Every structure is written in structure tokens, then in C-alpha cells.
């Protein structure tokens, strides 16, 4: 279920219009109201599972620790757990990103364009959140970087293939 406009506004106000993970404020960053425990993992739309987060923290790209002042209305255990999950996502993403970049440079003797890197990062974050293992993602990243007409879609394709094989095999 979507979070209502009214509730979103109340959460923003409760959190003083600042990202609860890194402390960034508008207009420096775009603020969203984010689920602490993702909905896919059973998180609710209740205020104790909602926090104000900037776009980077929302997508799990940053691994900042929460500020010194705790938000009393947020479940602190959930919040700490969410920070750990974000740090783990960040670690996996770094390994896979490095593999992709190094393989790309080796195969194509050039740097991927900034656009392609951004796109890869977005797909990568999605794939990690979906629960792919580091070794699956490293293999997919390597295959994608090796492709003749190198394109990030190959990465998504290889990740999807691995998932399908797993279902058949398992
Ligand atoms: Zn942030």
C-alpha cells in the first residue's frame, strides 16, 4: 500500500525535513519518505517503520551511520538493522562495480561513459536488493562487460538468467 500524502508530510515534519541516515536537507538533496524495513520484507506503512531519507540513502547507495540524536518515533532496532543492511548492500555493490569496471577497461581498452556507469549502478543496486549473491553478481558483471556490444542490459539479462537457472536447478 502507498503511503498517503498526509502521512508523508507528517513524517517529514517529525524528522525536521532532514535525511535520518546522513542528515542532508532540502534543497541540497531530494527527500523521500522511505520504509525502514522494506515492504518486500514485511515492513509496514506505520510511522515507526517510516523515515525521511535522501535519494542516495533511499537507494542504499550510501552507508552513513545515523546521526547522534535518535528519532524517538522510529523503531530503533529496525533502524539499526536497516543501517546494517545498507552497509552490506554497499559492500557487495563495491565489489561488483569494481569487477565490471576492470573487466570493461581490459576488454574495451576504454572507460565506460558516465551515463553507462550510472545505469549500471542503478541496475546493480536493484539486483543486490533482490537478494542476488556476490558471486552471482560478479559473474554477471564480468559477462556483461565482455559482451561485444557492451551494454548494461546484458548485466540485467545475466542476473535474470542466473535467477531462472536457480529456480530450475533448485
Ligand atoms: Zn541521506
Amino acid at each position: 500500500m502507498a503511503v498517503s500524502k498526509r502521512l508523508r508530510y507528517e513524517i517529514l515534519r517529525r524528522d525536521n525535513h532532514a535525511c535520518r541516515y546522513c542528515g542532508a536537507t532540502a534543497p541540497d538533496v531530494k527527500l523521500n519518505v522511505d520504509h525502514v524495513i522494506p515492504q518486500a520484507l514485511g515492513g509496514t506503512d506505520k510511522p515507526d517503520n517510516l523515515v525521511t531519507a535522501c535519494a542516495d540513502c533511499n537507494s542504499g547507495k550510501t552507508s552513513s551511520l545515523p546521526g547522534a540524536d535518535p528519532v524517538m518515533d522510529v523503531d530503533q532496532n529496525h533502524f539499526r538493522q536497516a543501517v546494517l543492511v545498507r552497509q552490506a548492500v554497499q559492500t557487495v555493490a563495491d565489489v561488483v562495480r569494481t569487477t565490471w569496471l576492470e573487466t570493461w577497461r581490459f576488454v574495451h581498452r576504454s572507460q565506460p561513459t558516465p551515463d553507462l556507469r550510472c545505469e549500471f549502478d542503478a541496475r546493480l543496486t536493484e539486483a543486490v536488493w533482490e537478494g542476488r549473491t556476490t558471486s552471482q553478481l560478479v559473474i554477471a558483471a564480468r559477462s556483461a562487460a565482455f559482451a561485444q556490444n557492451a551494454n548494461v542490459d546484458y548485466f540485467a539479462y545475466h542476473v535474470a538468467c542466473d535467477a531462472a537457472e536457480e529456480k530450475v536447478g533448485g
Side-chain angles (χ1 to χ4, degrees):
M1 222 176 45
V3 178
S4 72
K5 248 186 193 166
R6 189 195 156 82
L7 181 54
R8 209 174 308 215
Y9 176 72
E10 279 172 14
I11 300 296
L12 281 165
R13 211 176 48 164
R14 180 197 70 193
D15 295 346
N16 295 320
H17 297 268
C19 172
R20 297 315 311 184
Y21 296 103
C22 71
T25 52
D28 298 341
V29 294
K30 192 180 178 303
L31 293 172
N32 296 304
V33 170
D34 184 23
H35 290 89
V36 176
I37 301 292
Q39 281 178 297
L41 300 178
T44 69
D45 282 343
K46 290 189 183 140
D48 71 352
N49 191 46
L50 294 170
V51 283
T52 304
C54 72
D56 276 359
C57 289
N58 193 27
S59 65
K61 277 183 194 164
T62 58
S63 56
S64 317
L65 285 161
D69 59 326
V71 185
M72 295 317 291
D73 298 337
V74 177
D75 185 313
Q76 290 301 300
N77 288 328
H78 282 181
F79 193 55
R80 252 176 245 121
Q81 230 178 322
V83 170
L84 290 177
V85 168
R86 281 178 160 74
Q87 285 171 331
V89 165
Q90 176 75 23
T91 307
V92 173
D94 283 347
V95 170
V96 179
R97 190 182 300 110
T98 304
T99 303
W100 183 70
L101 270 177
E102 283 176 357
T103 311
W104 182 290
R105 286 183 191 133
F106 177 78
V107 174
H108 304 280
R109 304 271 163 214
S110 67
Q111 298 281 355
T113 63
D115 277 2
L116 205 56
R117 289 174 72 149
C118 282
E119 229 182 290
F120 181 79
D121 266 353
R123 304 272 164 97
L124 175 58
T125 308
E126 264 171 42
V128 177
W129 278 112
E130 279 166 15
R132 303 276 143 248
T133 66
T134 309
S135 58
Q136 281 174 334
L137 292 173
V138 162
I139 292 167
R142 210 171 276 151
S143 308
F146 255 101
Q148 195 95 54
N149 301 307
N151 183 309
V152 284
D153 284 333
Y154 281 96
F155 177 68
Y157 169 78
H158 283 289
V159 169
C161 283
D162 277 355
E165 265 169 42
E166 231 171 62
K167 266 177 204 149
V168 171

